[in-house]
Amino acid sequence: MVTADEIRAIGIFSRLDESACERLARVAADVSLVPGEYAAEEGAQRALFAVLAGRIEATRNVDGIDRVLGERLPGDIFGEVPISLGTVFPVGFRAAERTRVMRIEPQDYHAVASLAPEVAEEVGKLASHRMSGTRGLQGIAADPAPPRATVVGRRLDGACSELRRFLDRNQIHFTWLKPDEPDAAEMWGDTLPADADLPVIRVVGGKTVVRPRLRRVAELLGLETEPAAAEYDTVIVGAGPAGLAAAVYGASEGLRTIVVEREAPGGQAGTSSKIENYLGFPSGVSGDELASRALQQAVRHGAEILVTREITRIDATARQVHLDGGDVLRGRTIILACGVSWRRLAIEGFDRLVGKGISYGAARSEALNVHGLDVHIVGAGNSAGQSAMFFSTHARSVTILCRGDSLEKSMSSYLINQLKTRPNIEVLTRTQVSAAHGETALEAIDATNADTGTTTRIACGGLFIFIGADAETEWLPPEIALDSRGYVLTGPDVSASAHWELERDPYLLETSVPGIFASGDIRFSPVKRVAAAVGEGSMAIAFVHQYLREAEPAAAVASPLA
Ligand SMILES: Cc1cc2nc3c(=O)[nH]c(=O)nc-3n(C[C@H](O)[C@H](O)[C@H](O)COP(=O)(O)OP(=O)(O)OC[C@H]3O[C@@H](n4cnc5c(N)ncnc54)[C@H](O)[C@@H]3O)c2cc1C
């Protein structure tokens, strides 16, 4: 418990009278932290803290790495900015060594401040000092994170788009130089690489690699690509919302947790410019931001996350997963969170121009590619509508090409109403794309009207396709029961299918193989949503605990839910 004497030893409270110190001592929480533990994370709700013993570091997460911005020693306070301005914590505060802090809740701070206005004045002054100047928050905000890499590549080069997307989705801050920009060579600091070598990546303080494979890029940037152990309590296939949620819950509940992702974290959500219906984000959140926060959370809780590694085979009996390249991991349990893959349009010219003006989905990073252009969107669902809204603030015009009579059947009415407010968005119904044209990059598309049968060639600066997705589960072992469209059956659907052999019923998210679970879009279920994927990923961990308790009682990890 914090004593009145300890409160008086804190500079800002030194002039408080005896009764005020005692009052604060009664309400202050006495918090002991181990090294690395956070008193307040970036984004945490406001409170005022004072260091009683040890050392606190102020940190800010940049590119997934915590940068240390300053320190607080015994007698110092922190949290003065959020408490004065009513905001969340703009930076995090974590213990650099074993540390003791006291935490005062806002209502208790304000009660003391109303009796001793000089305290509020001092805290306010300190907050204003921290906000201003080159070493203050304004300085930090004005000082962008230093890039970790420089990429040279053309705008409509598929390999360059893929590389940029990969870096974005792995939260790597980088500079992109287009070879035709006048100052590109100066910024590169040397003769620009030959066209045939593009894209090129130079890692700050490291190597330059021409036409790199993503695995090589991951290695150059220190992202995990190799498993650290041979066995895990749970191996999660895929780092979309379901996989990342399972990773956060698994790792935070003491399970040795690994996620294997064949591309980069985020899954389909990472290709969504705005998710409007995820709880807690009243103005929507971009898929890459949501994924980036989830990734940080999973890593902070100790989950291992491999990128650019694909699980190619599962041995259901031995509970082994085979990674591309031959590595084999054993999972006491496995969670399939491998989502679905974009349906491809089998139309003349498409495969050749994918990445060169044609994209499946639309991440926020695509905005840079469409400034001032006329872009087209194929699809009539919410994801098509959201991306039309997004591109309408970047492109000169956005045209939605929809096969049906109207958007009403497939798009939410709030989104249809939003589209109507944008003068540069047009909807062409009963219209399909029938061909794409361009030598080295997309230049035009053919659009065919179903009523008249006429085909019109339209200049096109970018074509974004949102025509749904399919389960790609042919690589799963035959023991895992699927529905006719390849979605993984779980729980009651498994019992009903006669694939289940144990006496107990399968858990809600358990597949036909005990101990192998499925969550998110890959699971047979009518709901394909971020919230459902996150919920199921989290829930899968509860079933993992139950399974381990029952199947391997001696080795089970105590679940906080038990
Ligand atoms: C453009 C777009 C907009 C959307 N907008 C919304 C919206 O506004 N609101 C909403 O609720 N939902 C939205 N959705 C749907 C939502 O994104 C999905 O429901 C959600 O992402 C499903 O999450 P998941 O983790 O199950 O699968 P996914 O997001 O598909 O992630 C699966 C991951 O597994 C990886 N993977 C697959 N196979 C393997 C393997 N063998 N080895 C290793 N890794 C593998 C994939 O690379 C991928 O990263 C949108 C989807 C798209 C495409």
Side-chain angles (χ1 to χ4, degrees), residues 380 402-411 416 427 429-430:
C402 149
R403 255 189 334 186
D405 298 334
S406 73
L407 298 178
E408 266 75 16
K409 280 186 212 141
S410 47
M411 198 181 285
I416 296 175
V427 181
T429 54
R430 307 273 298 149

Side-chain angles (χ1 to χ4, degrees), residues 248-268:
V248 168
Y249 280 79
S252 67
E253 292 176 14
L255 295 171
R256 288 169 303 152
T257 303
I258 188 169
V259 185
V260 183
E261 166 56 50
R262 67 180 169 194
E263 294 171 21
Q268 293 168 73

Side-chain angles (χ1 to χ4, degrees), residues 168-354:
D168 274 333
R169 287 177 60 180
N170 278 294
Q171 304 168 24
I172 304 295
H173 185 53
F174 66 98
T175 307
W176 174 29
L177 303 177
K178 288 161 235 160
D180 42 7
E181 282 175 346
D183 56 351
E186 192 190 330
M187 290 185 66
W188 181 245
D190 201 346
T191 312
L192 284 175
D195 230 30
D197 287 339
L198 299 181
V200 171
I201 183 166
R202 181 166 64 204
V203 175
V204 170
K207 294 193 171 150
T208 300
V209 183
V210 304
R211 285 178 280 116
R213 286 182 311 118
L214 296 184
R215 172 89 51 90
R216 179 84 178 108
V217 175
E219 287 162 0
L220 285 173
L221 289 160
L223 302 172
E224 305 277 353
T225 58
E226 299 291 336
E231 185 180 288
Y232 292 84
D233 293 324
T234 191
V235 177
I236 300 166
V237 190
L244 288 172
V248 168
Y249 280 79
S252 67
E253 292 176 14
L255 295 171
R256 288 169 303 152
T257 303
I258 188 169
V259 185
V260 183
E261 166 56 50
R262 67 180 169 194
E263 294 171 21
Q268 293 168 73
T271 67
S272 167
S273 48
K274 197 154 184 197
I275 295 165
E276 301 242 28
N277 52 359
Y278 192 63
L279 192 70
F281 293 90
S283 342
V285 56
S286 76
D288 51 7
E289 190 185 341
L290 191 68
S292 130
R293 285 165 176 259
L295 175 64
Q296 284 172 29
Q297 208 174 357
V299 170
R300 184 164 288 164
H301 282 297
E304 216 179 296
I305 302 195
L306 306 190
V307 293
T308 69
R309 296 303 302 267
E310 180 166 15
I311 294 187
T312 53
R313 188 158 79 80
I314 291 179
D315 181 335
T317 321
R319 200 80 44 71
Q320 284 177 334
V321 299
H322 295 245
L323 275 66
D324 54 359
D327 293 321
V328 180
L329 294 178
R330 196 181 108 74
R332 291 168 66 207
T333 61
I334 296 171
I335 299 175
L336 303 174
C338 37
V340 292
S341 300
W342 282 108
R343 213 167 282 154
R344 302 263 151 177
L345 266 182
I347 288 177
E348 188 193 331
F350 267 54
D351 284 348
R352 193 171 52 79
L353 294 170
V354 168

Side-chain angles (χ1 to χ4, degrees), residues 50-287:
V51 184
L52 301 175
R55 186 161 63 90
I56 287 284
E57 290 172 331
T59 65
R60 184 155 180 253
N61 194 286
V62 179
D63 288 346
I65 295 167
D66 284 331
R67 279 170 71 197
V68 176
L69 306 172
E71 63 175 14
R72 302 288 185 275
L73 297 171
D76 291 342
I77 63 166
F78 56 97
E80 60 281 355
V81 172
I83 207 95
S84 301
L85 302 184
T87 59
V88 294
F89 271 80
V91 297
F93 288 91
R94 72 170 179 216
E97 55 193 63
R98 278 193 168 277
T99 298
R100 208 177 132 229
V101 297
M102 71 170 202
R103 176 185 167 117
I104 304 167
E105 299 308 322
Q107 67 276 15
D108 297 320
Y109 163 73
H110 290 299
V112 168
S114 66
L115 295 172
E118 66 280 6
V119 168
E121 203 176 309
E122 285 296 306
V123 169
K125 261 195 222 155
L126 199 55
S128 141
H129 171 69
R130 298 250 196 256
M131 289 289 295
S132 58
T134 50
R135 291 191 51 76
L137 288 173
Q138 284 172 10
I140 296 165
D143 169 25
R148 292 184 61 201
T150 303
V151 169
V152 186
R154 298 202 172 274
R155 188 174 74 86
L156 291 177
D157 172 4
C160 181
S161 307
E162 188 184 36
L163 173 59
R164 289 191 296 116
R165 208 166 29 242
F166 178 76
L167 294 172
D168 274 333
R169 287 177 60 180
N170 278 294
Q171 304 168 24
I172 304 295
H173 185 53
F174 66 98
T175 307
W176 174 29
L177 303 177
K178 288 161 235 160
D180 42 7
E181 282 175 346
D183 56 351
E186 192 190 330
M187 290 185 66
W188 181 245
D190 201 346
T191 312
L192 284 175
D195 230 30
D197 287 339
L198 299 181
V200 171
I201 183 166
R202 181 166 64 204
V203 175
V204 170
K207 294 193 171 150
T208 300
V209 183
V210 304
R211 285 178 280 116
R213 286 182 311 118
L214 296 184
R215 172 89 51 90
R216 179 84 178 108
V217 175
E219 287 162 0
L220 285 173
L221 289 160
L223 302 172
E224 305 277 353
T225 58
E226 299 291 336
E231 185 180 288
Y232 292 84
D233 293 324
T234 191
V235 177
I236 300 166
V237 190
L244 288 172
V248 168
Y249 280 79
S252 67
E253 292 176 14
L255 295 171
R256 288 169 303 152
T257 303
I258 188 169
V259 185
V260 183
E261 166 56 50
R262 67 180 169 194
E263 294 171 21
Q268 293 168 73
T271 67
S272 167
S273 48
K274 197 154 184 197
I275 295 165
E276 301 242 28
N277 52 359
Y278 192 63
L279 192 70
F281 293 90
S283 342
V285 56
S286 76

